[in-house]
Amino acid sequence: MGKRRSARELALKFLYQSELNDGNIDEQMKLFLERNSSQDEVEVFMKELVRSVLKEIKEIDEIIQKFSDNWVLD
């Protein structure tokens, strides 16, 4: 499996996990990466993806909500 694909999968898993847990994102990410060890390049790209998503989360949620019929994000 390619490094970028691995990073994308890790990012998706982390984002799902972080939705279910309260607390500091950086601390959650540190613990997550300790349990899901991978190459440095994969971790760096995964962190970039997660931070990009979290930076734009309101806009992303608005787009999802706009196209979600009979479904509420909450």
Side-chain angles (χ1 to χ4, degrees), residues 4-55:
R4 292 176 72 85
R5 179 181 172 148
S6 295
R8 287 185 196 105
E9 287 184 9
L10 281 177
L12 185 60
K13 289 176 184 178
F14 175 76
L15 288 165
Y16 178 76
Q17 175 185 300
S18 69
E19 282 284 317
L20 301 175
N21 296 299
D22 291 330
N24 182 285
I25 290 293
D26 291 326
E27 184 62 29
Q28 286 185 43
M29 192 177 305
K30 178 183 171 200
L31 294 172
F32 177 84
L33 290 172
E34 286 174 3
R35 290 184 299 247
N36 296 280
S37 63
S38 59
Q39 298 174 355
D40 288 341
E41 294 173 57
V42 172
E43 289 184 11
V44 168
F45 187 52
M46 176 262 192
K47 289 177 183 179
E48 288 177 28
L49 291 171
V50 168
R51 287 192 178 104
S52 295
V53 168
L54 294 176
K55 180 181 171 189

